[in-house]
Amino acid sequence: MLTLVTGTTGQVGRRFVPRLLAQARAGEKVRVLVRDAARGEPYAERGAEVVVGDLRDAEALGKAVAGADAVVNVAAAFRGVPDEEAWAVNRDAAVELGRAARSAGVRRFVQVSTGLVYGTGRGRPLTEDDEIRPGGSMWGAYPESKARAERELLALEGLDVRVGRLPFVYGEGDPHLSQSLMWARNWAATQRLQMGHHADVAQALLRILHAPGIAGRVYNIADDAPVTAVELHQLGGVDVPAELYDRTDPDPWHVITSTVRIRRELGYRPLYPSVYAAREAGAL
Ligand SMILES: NC(=O)c1ccc[n+]([C@@H]2O[C@H](COP(=O)([O-])OP(=O)(O)OC[C@H]3O[C@@H](n4cnc5c(N)ncnc54)[C@H](OP(=O)(O)O)[C@@H]3O)[C@@H](O)[C@H]2O)c1
């Protein structure tokens, strides 16, 4: 079995691939798609095949999927990119990758998505059966393009597509947790962020990849303890700005997702049920 992974130079991908390689059984191989050959070298040293190219390039997609049995599409463009690029990578290239995978006879396609696709206003934890309607404070090209990619990939006939919706991912040296203050300083004190440690995101994606008989299934991925804006400041070791206490949380359930399905169906249990557990384990 050969698994192609995209986005392996990013925060999630670079922590997922070593785990995929570490648990590979005899005959299981990994291929990575990278834009910069030099950044593929560490993967080649660990035994992965490396294809160099951009996801928006049809020829690169063809090379990347040739002979592959499974694809995990981690790549996305959302950190400070123009909207056109977000659409081109997150929707158009993802769907083209799905089509190329289907033509190449790929059996499984895992699409890495985001809890931001749900939008606001449900008044309870979000479940995978909820309609996706990105919006609210995170309206914009990123959640919308990820939502459209999910819909179009799941509609591709003849391809076994599975979707993992990620929370706010942190841990293992990722600066994301401290970066959260960029947003959290503008929130209400009680506004919460649904978290997931890299180790748990990786285990969830591996479960979604390997489980038989779940074509078309969507899974939320998260830990058990969303963190408030006040706690994010405390975790960052900075004073909580007084204004936080003057604001009202516009939607206390924004991107707070239920993990009942992945727990029941795939046996997922977070190794780090909270950011505090990860901190105590030295895994931040
Ligand atoms: N991190 C989170 O908290 C979070 C939360 C929810 C969902 N997610 C999802 O998780 C996935 C990974 O996120 P991340 O945090 O790891 O993002 P990231 O650090 O920004 O990494 C993005 C990856 O995608 C690659 N990429 C971007 N445009 C590309 C293109 N045109 N062709 C080929 N590769 C391209 C990047 O390659 P270069 O290095 O060459 O730029 C990089 O490897 C995404 O699908 C995202 O939507 C993440």
Side-chain angles (χ1 to χ4, degrees), residues 6-13 33 35-36 39 53-56 73-79 85 89 112-115 142 146 166-169 174 176 198:
T6 69
T8 59
T9 51
Q11 297 295 350
V12 170
L33 175 71
R35 293 200 276 188
D36 172 357
R39 297 177 74 194
D54 192 292
L55 265 179
R56 293 164 290 182
N73 185 31
V74 182
F78 65 111
R79 299 190 191 277
E85 187 173 342
V89 176
V112 175
S113 191
T114 164
Y142 171 57
K146 296 293 281 189
L166 273 50
F168 182 90
V169 190
D174 186 338
H176 213 194
H198 277 291

Side-chain angles (χ1 to χ4, degrees), residues 222-270:
D223 71 13
D224 299 335
V227 172
T228 64
V230 167
E231 290 168 290
L232 289 170
H233 283 81
Q234 291 171 340
L235 286 159
V238 298
D239 291 338
V240 183
E243 314 86 81
L244 264 66
Y245 296 98
D246 299 329
R247 300 190 189 117
T248 309
D249 185 350
D251 178 5
W253 298 100
H254 184 50
V255 201
I256 302 297
T257 57
S258 161
T259 54
V260 170
R261 177 180 286 179
I262 194 166
R263 297 174 83 98
R264 280 206 185 141
E265 295 184 7
L266 304 185
Y268 168 84
R269 299 287 181 277

Side-chain angles (χ1 to χ4, degrees), residues 30-160:
V30 176
R31 179 185 287 160
V32 298
L33 175 71
V34 293
R35 293 200 276 188
D36 172 357
R39 297 177 74 194
E41 278 168 23
Y43 295 109
E45 282 162 17
R46 291 173 185 228
E49 292 177 20
V50 178
V51 171
V52 179
D54 192 292
L55 265 179
R56 293 164 290 182
D57 172 2
E59 201 182 320
L61 292 189
K63 281 188 199 151
V65 295
D69 301 288
V71 172
V72 183
N73 185 31
V74 182
F78 65 111
R79 299 190 191 277
V81 299
D83 283 1
E84 309 83 74
E85 187 173 342
W87 282 107
V89 176
N90 303 341
R91 179 194 54 188
D92 302 345
V95 176
E96 282 312 312
L97 181 64
R99 291 205 183 101
R102 182 175 60 180
S103 304
V106 165
R107 289 184 285 118
R108 279 179 195 175
F109 189 103
V110 178
Q111 170 67 2
V112 175
S113 191
T114 164
L116 289 167
V117 297
Y118 286 111
T120 55
R122 265 46 170 256
R124 52 165 173 71
L126 303 153
T127 74
E128 296 86 344
D129 290 329
D130 287 326
E131 179 204 352
I132 53 175
R133 46 171 207 229
S137 57
M138 282 299 292
W139 182 262
Y142 171 57
E144 184 70 25
S145 60
K146 296 293 281 189
R148 289 283 295 276
E150 280 192 23
R151 278 202 200 103
E152 292 184 33
L153 283 165
L154 287 166
L156 282 182
E157 276 180 31
L159 184 66
D160 172 340

Side-chain angles (χ1 to χ4, degrees), residues 177-198:
L177 189 56
S178 49
Q179 289 166 353
S180 70
L181 294 180
M182 284 189 302
W183 307 287
R185 69 175 173 231
N186 298 313
W187 290 358
T190 53
Q191 192 164 338
R192 296 179 295 168
L193 193 58
Q194 177 99 63
M195 314 289 285
H197 191 278
H198 277 291

